[in-house]
Amino acid sequence: MPIDEIAQKVSDRYAKAASTGEQICCPTDYNFADLRSFIPEEVLKISYGCGTPAGLKTVRPSETVLDIGSGGGIDCFEAARLVGPAGRVIGIDMTDTMLAIARRNAAVVAANLGYPASNIEFRKGRAEAMPIEDGMVDLIISNCVINLAPDKRKVFREMFRVAKVGGRFTISDIVSDQTVPQYLVHDTQKWGDCLSGALTLTEYIGGMVDAGFWAVHLVKSSPWQIIDGIHFFSITLTGYKPSAVPSESTVRYATLRGPFSRVVDERGTTFQRGIPVRISPETTLLLSLTPLANHFVLSGDPLVLGQSDPRWNAVFPAEAPCIWEGHYALLAGPFVEAVDDDHHVYRRGEPMEICSKTLAVLQAGGYAPHFAIINRAGQNVSGDAVTCSPNEGGCC
Ligand SMILES: C[S@@+](CC[C@H](N)C(=O)[O-])C[C@H]1O[C@@H](n2cnc3c(N)ncnc32)[C@H](O)[C@@H]1O
C-alpha cells in the first residue's frame, strides 16, 4: 500500500472514531477520576493510547513538551498541568477532527487549572515531517502513534531533530515479538487498530539508537493481543539526545557492578562484572545516564570490585526445580547484550525462552526494569519440573 494511502486510511479511521466516540486500542493506567477534575469528558472518551507517557513522572516544571499524534489531547492536558503555567505544550496530529476537539478544550483546561492563559498549542502535521523548529523540545511524548506511521525511521529522525541537546523522550507504543507478516501488514483494519504497523522490539529500539538517541530503555510493558501466534505488547521507552561530550573528564575507568555478569553497551564496549575498563569521555557520558549509572562505578583509577564489596550486585537463582511454562524474556535496553549468572545471553529485543526459576530471577529488583516478559503458551502448561544447573548442563 502506498504511504499516503496508509496515512489517509489511518486519518479517516481516527476521524470517524473521534466523531462517534468509538473505543479503540488498549488498556491504560490512567487515573480517570483525577483527570476528570480538569479535563472535559469529550476528551477522555476518545483517549486511544496504550500507556501514560505524561503521567510517569517524566514531565518537569517549566519544560517544553511535544506530543506526537496528540489525538483529543489527553496527554497534552496532563503535561500542561505538570509543566505548570511557565511551561509549554505542543500537540501535533494529522487528523482535523481530533485537532478540533483538542483545540476547543485547551481553553477549558487552562481555566480549570487556574492558568492566566492556555500553555498548549495544537498544530496540524505528520509525525514524519513535524511542524516544529529544530532543537526546541525538552521532552517528547507520544501514545500509540508511531506504530501507525508508515515510515517510522523518518519519525525517529524527526524526533532527534526537534529535541534539545540533552533532551529526552518517553514514548508508549505497541511492538511485536516477531516480524508482522505481509497478510497482516496489508490488513487496513488491523493497521488502524495499532497492530499491523508494529515494529519488533529490536527494530524499535534499534531505530531510535540509529537516529542518535542514547540509553534507550524500558520504563513499562504490558501484554496486549495475540494474533496468529504473534504477541503484540505495549511498551513505554525513554532515551536521550546526548549533551556535548566534554573534552576532558576526571573519569577514566568504569567497573560493572551487576546484577548482569557481562554487558555490551550501545557503543559496543564490553564490561565484565568487577573488572575495570578504560573508557572515553563519550562512554563516561553514556554511562552517567539513567538507568546505566546504577550499574557502574566510575573512577579515575582502575577499581576492581570483589564479591564482598557492597557495590557488587548479583542475583542467583533459587535451588528450585525448573518448570517450563511458556515464558520468554526480551531484553529492552539500555544494553545490546547482557548475561546473567545462569549464563543466559540476552540480546536486545530477541525473545529468550526461560523457565520458572529464571523468571523469578528476572523479576527481582536489579533485573526487572530491563525485561519485557511474554508468555507464548496458548494455555496452561503441565510439563514436569526438571532440575538443572548451568554447570551440569540441562535446561539452564
Ligand atoms: C491511537 S490514536 C492516539 C491518540 C492520542 N495519542 C491518545 O493517546 O489518545 C493515534 C492518533 O495519531 C494520529 N496519527 C496517526 N498517524 C499519524 C502520523 N503519521 N502523523 C501525525 N498524526 C498521526 C491520529 O490522527 C490519531 O489522532
Side-chain angles (χ1 to χ4, degrees):
M1 225 184 321
I3 280 177
D4 283 343
E5 201 180 314
I6 298 176
Q8 189 55 51
K9 286 195 162 139
V10 167
S11 189
D12 292 347
R13 175 84 194 279
Y14 283 95
K16 186 162 168 248
S19 51
T20 59
E22 179 197 346
Q23 286 309 298
I24 313 182
C25 206
C26 330
T28 54
D29 285 337
Y30 286 118
N31 179 345
F32 279 103
D34 172 44
L35 296 181
R36 243 173 228 118
S37 67
F38 70 105
I39 303 177
E41 199 58 41
E42 181 186 33
V43 172
L44 298 179
K45 78 170 190 215
I46 56 160
S47 133
Y48 295 141
C50 51
T52 52
L56 291 166
K57 300 196 180 104
T58 47
V59 183
R60 299 178 195 147
S62 304
E63 288 192 320
T64 298
V65 176
L66 167 70
D67 183 9
I68 305 170
S70 42
I74 182 167
D75 293 316
C76 287
F77 296 137
E78 172 68 322
R81 171 164 74 160
L82 296 168
V83 294
R88 182 175 178 199
V89 180
I90 303 167
I92 60 168
D93 204 287
M94 65 178 180
T95 304
D96 289 319
T97 317
M98 286 291 190
L99 287 165
I101 294 172
R103 283 175 180 149
R104 71 172 166 259
N105 284 288
V108 181
V109 168
N112 289 345
L113 291 172
Y115 291 177
S118 174
N119 58 352
I120 316 174
E121 188 191 336
F122 290 100
R123 298 183 184 174
K124 181 166 181 175
R126 290 268 298 271
E128 298 88 339
M130 298 189 210
I132 302 287
E133 300 85 312
D134 292 356
M136 76 169 292
V137 178
D138 294 293
L139 170 66
I140 301 169
I141 58 171
S142 183
N143 199 349
C144 228
V145 175
I146 298 174
N147 74 82
L148 295 166
D151 191 341
K152 285 133 177 93
R153 289 200 169 254
K154 246 187 189 165
V155 180
F156 298 150
R157 285 200 296 271
E158 278 292 89
M159 286 171 56
F160 194 79
R161 178 184 67 76
V162 303
K164 281 184 187 167
V165 169
R168 64 203 190 282
F169 68 79
T170 296
I171 301 272
S172 300
D173 212 344
I174 299 293
V175 293
S176 58
D177 68 336
Q178 52 196 289
T179 302
V180 177
Q182 289 299 311
Y183 70 88
L184 287 179
V185 169
H186 290 272
D187 181 324
T188 321
Q189 176 71 22
K190 288 197 174 56
W191 188 291
D193 286 342
C194 298
L195 295 164
S196 302
L199 294 178
T200 63
L201 185 57
T202 310
E203 291 165 338
Y204 207 101
I205 300 182
M208 295 283 203
V209 171
D210 288 350
F213 288 104
W214 284 19
V216 179
H217 64 277
L218 187 70
V219 178
K220 213 170 170 193
S221 76
S222 52
W224 168 226
Q225 273 196 33
I226 304 167
I227 300 177
D228 296 345
I230 302 164
H231 287 243
F232 294 91
F233 52 106
S234 148
I235 42 152
T236 301
L237 297 171
T238 284
Y240 306 88
K241 179 166 175 171
S243 312
V245 177
S247 53
E248 282 185 29
S249 166
T250 54
V251 171
R252 281 187 298 279
Y253 290 88
T255 307
L256 180 66
R257 297 178 50 213
F260 294 107
S261 60
R262 180 173 66 80
V263 296
V264 181
D265 75 12
E266 283 169 354
R267 317 200 71 73
T269 310
T270 299
F271 299 89
Q272 307 275 356
R273 185 176 44 207
I275 311 292
V277 174
R278 174 107 192 177
I279 55 170
S280 64
E282 191 180 66
T283 301
T284 304
L285 191 63
L286 172 67
L287 301 188
S288 306
L289 293 168
T290 309
L292 285 141
N294 298 335
H295 294 282
F296 293 91
V297 181
L298 302 181
S299 55
D301 296 317
L303 173 87
V304 177
L305 278 186
Q307 291 192 29
S308 58
D309 191 300
R311 291 168 291 184
W312 172 281
N313 185 7
V315 182
F316 292 103
E319 285 298 325
C322 188
I323 306 169
W324 297 98
E325 294 167 328
H327 290 104
Y328 285 74
L330 292 88
L331 176 69
F335 305 112
V336 290
E337 192 174 292
V339 183
D340 67 13
D341 277 302
D342 247 349
H343 309 289
H344 297 104
V345 180
Y346 303 95
R347 295 199 177 81
R348 191 174 63 194
E350 290 178 19
M352 154 83 83
E353 189 173 10
I354 53 167
C355 73
S356 54
K357 211 163 74 164
T358 304
L359 179 66
V361 168
L362 298 190
Q363 286 174 334
Y367 285 120
H370 299 286
F371 290 94
I373 306 286
I374 59 171
N375 192 322
R376 283 179 170 173
Q379 54 268 314
N380 285 342
V381 175
S382 62
D384 290 337
V386 287
T387 304
C388 57
S389 92
N391 299 326
E392 292 159 20
C395 61
C396 295

